[in-house]
Amino acid sequence: MKNDNCIFCKIANGEIPSRTVYEDDSFRVILDNGPATKGHALVLPKDHYADLFEIPEDVAAAAIVTAKKAAALLKEKLHADGLNIVQNNGEAAGQTVPHFHIHIIPRYVDDGQLIGWKPGSPSAEELDGVLDEIRG
Ligand code: 5GP
Ligand code: ZN
């Protein structure tokens, strides 16, 4: 299903042109137009799912396989030294386009890019408390 108000639906289905590095019946992989690094690409399902919580398991599985293929292609062709996979869900997590997508970000030694988080330093009791909360 497509969403008429979704820009990634239009891009994924070819209604809006994009710099496509890979395409099959279910996915389009495009260059991000605000790239973190050279070759930063996005895996877009052609059907609309807002995020990881909406996407069916079989489509999610196919999406990560597609990301793996695209990652290998980018790494080889652009001679990347490493690569980050990023997938944001919800505004609080930095998602700006509510159509599920996987970021593929080639990394280069000394590329100066920042992709990460500030590590916390919880006590053992605090970690145990989190585990209890999760496991109920
Ligand atoms: P998010 O923050 O939702 O995880 O990532 C959205 C990404 O989509 C951003 O990296 C942004 O640069 C990219 N983006 C947003 N609109 C467009 C567009 O129209 N074309 C392309 N190629 N990338 C886009
Ligand atoms: Zn969409």
Side-chain angles (χ1 to χ4, degrees):
M1 283 287 286
K2 322 294 176 249
N3 178 328
D4 288 345
N5 300 315
C6 174
I7 186 165
F8 278 7
C9 278
K10 292 187 170 72
I11 291 174
N13 291 282
E15 292 167 39
I16 293 177
S18 62
R19 292 180 175 83
T20 298
V21 299
Y22 173 84
E23 183 185 6
D24 61 26
D25 288 347
S26 305
F27 297 96
R28 184 185 294 269
V29 182
I30 65 166
L31 289 184
D32 193 305
N33 67 2
T37 63
K38 180 181 170 186
H40 180 169
L42 303 170
V43 177
L44 309 180
K46 292 188 174 180
D47 285 330
H48 181 86
Y49 311 104
D51 56 25
L52 186 68
F53 304 103
E54 278 196 4
I55 193 169
E57 287 186 359
D58 60 333
V59 185
I64 197 68
V65 172
T66 304
K68 180 173 167 57
K69 284 181 192 158
L73 178 72
L74 293 170
K75 188 171 189 294
E76 183 198 337
K77 297 286 186 169
L78 300 178
H79 310 289
D81 301 307
L83 188 136
N84 293 111
I85 295 284
V86 175
Q87 201 278 310
N88 299 325
N89 298 281
E91 279 182 40
Q95 186 178 14
T96 58
V97 182
H99 174 121
F100 176 93
H101 51 279
I102 299 175
H103 294 260
I104 303 168
I105 306 174
R107 300 301 304 274
Y108 307 91
V109 171
D110 296 329
D111 64 23
Q113 193 49 262
L114 300 171
I115 298 165
W117 56 87
K118 196 175 59 178
S121 48
S123 65
E125 290 73 21
E126 284 169 322
L127 285 173
D128 287 342
V130 174
L131 190 58
D132 286 345
E133 204 173 328
I134 295 167
R135 297 176 71 169

